[in-house]
Amino acid sequence: MLSKKALGINPSPTMAIDSKAKEMKSQGIDVIGFGAGEPDFDTPLHIREAAIKAINEGHTRYTPAAGTPELKEAITDKLKVENSLEYSPAQIVVSNGAKHALSNVFTALLNPGDEVMIPVPYWVTYPELVSLNDGVPVPLETSEDTQFKATLTDMEKAYTNKCKAFVMNSPCNPTGQIYNEEELKTIADFCCERNIYIISDEIYEHLIYGNHRQFSPAAFNEQVRNLTIVINGVSKSYAMTGWRIGYSASSPDIARVIASIQSHTASNPNSIAQKAAVAALRGPQECVEEMRIAFDERRRYMYDQIKNIPLLNALEPQGTFYMFISVAEAIGKSYRGQIIFGSDDFAAHLLESRKVAVVPGTGFGAPDYVRLSFATSMDNIVEGLKRIGAFAGDLE
Ligand SMILES: Cc1ncc(COP(=O)(O)O)c(C=O)c1O
C-alpha cells in the first residue's frame, strides 16, 4: 500500500481544469479556457536574454542551496524599496517557485497535529501542503459580507491552543480581495498575542487595481516581522510561471532550517532561472505595469458583462487576475433535465455544452462559486462570456 498521507492528497483542481481545456484544444475543439493561473504574456525580452546569456556564460552548475548571493541581494533590495522590509540575504531562501517556498515553510514549522488556520475560500494548495507536513488545516470560515476577509470574530471561532500558523494571502486567490491596513493589523495583533506564525503569501502584490494597496504584515513592527514568513516570487508579476523562482523571507533561525531542508530535497533552484530572476528584479519595471494595465482592462470589461448575465453574481476583484462568481442562484436549476447540484455540475455542463472551462469553487472550499481567470485575451473573454450568458439562459 502506498503512503496513506500521500493518498489523501487531492490533485490540484485548478491545474486539472486547465489541462482538460488544453487537451480539448489540442483535439481541435474550440474551447475557451478561464482556468489559467498564469499570465498569458510572454516573459519580457530582457529577462529571456539574461537567461540565454547565463547559459552561454556557463552559469549551469549547482548554486548555493538557498540561492545565489546575487539573487538574494536583489530580493533584499526589492523588499526594502517596494515593501519597506529590512532583511539580510541570510534570511532569504530562493526556491523552485512560491509553491515550493511554501512547502518548505510548512516542513520547517509544523509538528504532527499542529493546526494552521486558513481563511476560506483558499488557494487549493495550502490545506494539502499542511496535511502533507503532518499538520491539520483549519478552515477559517469567512463571509461574503466582509469580501471573504477574516475578521477577529472569525479568527476567535477557529482558534485553538494547537494553532501554530495563520495563512494570509492578500491579494487573494481565488477571491481577488485585498486586506486593508487596519484589517491586516487586527490579524497581526491577534497572531502576536498568541505567538502564531503568519505565512504571508504576497505573490499577487503587483496586480492591484483602483486605489487599493497591498500591505505586508512584516512591515508593521519587529514582533510581527519575527513571526511572519513572507512568500513571494517572480511567476505572476513578470510572466515567469514556467521558470520556477519564488522565495521566503523569515527570521534567521527559520531561514536556516528552510535552507537546510531544501539542500536535501532540491539542492538549489535552477541556476539559469536565478539569473533571469535577477534581471527581472533589477531590470526595467515598465513591463509589470503594462501587464497590470492589460489585466485591469479585461477585469473591468468582465465585471460589467457578468452583471448582465442572469443567475451569476461576481465579486469585483481588487487584485490578482481572478474573478470569483457566485452561482448559488443557478444551483437547483436544471440543464436539459439534469439538476445542477453545485459548482462542479455547473462547470461540467458549461464545458460539455458551451465549451467554456471555469474552475468550480469546491477545491477552494466554496462550492457555490466558480473562479474565472482574466489572464486570457480580450477576444477569448468576449466570446467566453457570450457563451456563459447563453448557458445561463438555458437553465430552467
Ligand atoms: C496564492 C498563490 N500562491 C502561490 C502560487 C504559486 O506560485 P509559483 O508559480 O511561484 O509557485 C500561486 C499560483 O497559482 C498562487 O495562486
Side-chain angles (χ1 to χ4, degrees), residues 37 97-99 123 126 169 173 201 203-204 235-236 244 322:
K99 194 181 264 187
W123 179 45
Y126 299 131
N169 175 217
N173 173 11
D201 182 345
I203 193 87
Y204 292 101
S235 294
K236 316 283 178 176
R244 311 309 303 130
Y322 305 112

